[in-house]
Amino acid sequence: MAKKKVVFVDDSTMILRWARRAFGRECDVQTMECPSMALSVIGKQPHSPIAAPDIIVSDFDMPYMNGVQFLTKMRDAFPAAELILYTGRQDVECSFATVVGDKDSYRLEAEIKRRM
C-alpha cells in the first residue's frame, strides 16, 4: 500500500520537526514554513510527494496569509485532498467549516501540542 502524501505548513520549525517525526514512518511528509512557498511548489513537481497531496495540514496564524486563505486555495487546486487546520484560536471554527465543509478537520493547536 502506498504511503499517504502529507504536506504540513507552519511557520514554527518546532511543529514541523514534530510532524516529520510523528508521521514520517507511515506517511510521505513534506514540510514548509510559508503558505506562499507552498503555493508555489505544491502540484508543480511531478514526481514529488507534493505533486498531488492526499492531506494538507496548516496552522491558522502565519505571516502574509492565514491558514484559511491558504487551505481555500488548496481546496480549489486539490479537491480530493483532506484539509486540516489547527490553531490556538477558537474563533475560526465557523470560517474553516465554511471553507472545507467539515469542521471535524479543525483542531486546536493545544490539542496538537499535547500529542507532541
Side-chain angles (χ1 to χ4, degrees), residues 7-104:
V7 175
F8 272 82
V9 181
D10 195 314
D11 58 330
S12 167
T13 56
M14 179 184 78
I15 289 180
L16 295 178
R17 278 193 309 267
W18 168 80
R20 285 188 297 270
R21 281 193 319 267
F23 300 104
R25 288 191 176 135
E26 296 177 17
C27 301
D28 195 347
V29 177
Q30 297 292 317
T31 59
M32 297 181 201
E33 295 180 24
C34 170
S36 57
M37 178 177 68
L39 288 171
S40 71
V41 297
I42 294 175
K44 299 189 173 66
Q45 299 175 1
H47 300 293
S48 166
I50 55 176
D54 298 303
I55 303 168
I56 304 169
V57 183
S58 178
D59 184 20
F60 175 78
D61 285 315
M62 292 182 286
Y64 310 112
M65 180 185 302
N66 69 42
V68 172
Q69 294 165 327
F70 169 68
L71 290 175
T72 299
K73 293 176 187 290
M74 290 291 93
R75 169 59 70 211
D76 294 341
F78 302 100
E82 181 178 346
L83 306 179
I84 300 173
L85 176 73
Y86 60 91
T87 184
R89 298 175 55 175
Q90 295 184 26
D91 61 332
V92 296
E93 183 171 3
C94 292
S95 297
F96 186 68
T98 301
V99 170
V100 299
D102 179 10
K103 72 176 190 175
D104 293 334

Side-chain angles (χ1 to χ4, degrees), residues 99-111:
V99 170
V100 299
D102 179 10
K103 72 176 190 175
D104 293 334
S105 293
Y106 164 86
R107 298 287 179 255
L108 288 174
E109 192 166 350
E111 180 181 335

